[in-house]
Amino acid sequence: MHAQNQSLLDALNACIAACEHCATACLQEEDVKMMARCISLDRDCADVCALTARLIARGSEHGPHLLRECAEVCKACGDECEKHGAHMQHCKECAEACRRCEEACRAGMSVAA
């Protein structure tokens, strides 16, 4: 079970790291208020990805249910980070990680179905 989910777990963990880094970097921006939605979505995305990764790693029957929500949160976070990606490298990298994770979650949903 673990080996077949390794690419999903890798995408989830990469997304967690990118979102945590992005949120921290956004807090250092000059206009933090402008980054409030980005920071909020970064934190939500990292938390949902972390829970999803734990449930998938342990083979929980509830893991597949979270994949849909995780994909949705990753999409929302990726969309927000893309808005800032042209002038903030951390947002660009986060958006890319979110897109990869969203795809991995959607692929995991089709496997679990």
Side-chain angles (χ1 to χ4, degrees):
M1 177 68 114
H2 180 73
Q4 77 184 63
N5 290 322
Q6 191 58 54
S7 62
L8 173 58
L9 292 171
D10 290 345
L12 287 161
N13 286 317
C15 194
I16 294 164
C19 287
E20 292 290 357
H21 172 72
C22 187
T24 299
C26 285
L27 287 168
Q28 304 304 314
E29 293 294 335
E30 196 168 306
D31 188 359
V32 175
K33 282 187 175 189
M34 179 186 82
M35 303 307 297
R37 178 156 169 74
C38 188
I39 295 165
S40 179
L41 283 168
D42 284 337
R43 295 176 69 212
D44 286 352
C45 192
D47 287 348
V48 170
C49 286
L51 178 58
T52 302
R54 286 193 299 272
L55 294 181
I56 293 296
R58 72 174 72 131
S60 171
E61 65 187 87
H62 301 287
H65 304 294
L66 277 180
L67 290 173
R68 180 180 318 282
E69 182 63 25
C70 193
E72 289 177 20
V73 174
C74 285
K75 179 175 181 357
C77 190
D79 288 349
E80 182 64 26
C81 283
E82 270 183 5
K83 294 177 185 177
H84 310 287
H87 55 280
M88 295 179 192
Q89 185 65 25
H90 56 86
C91 283
K92 179 181 181 206
E93 292 170 2
C94 187
E96 291 168 357
C98 286
R99 298 289 180 229
R100 286 189 298 272
C101 193
E102 177 189 1
E103 290 174 18
C105 286
R106 292 195 191 286
M109 286 166 35
S110 65
V111 170

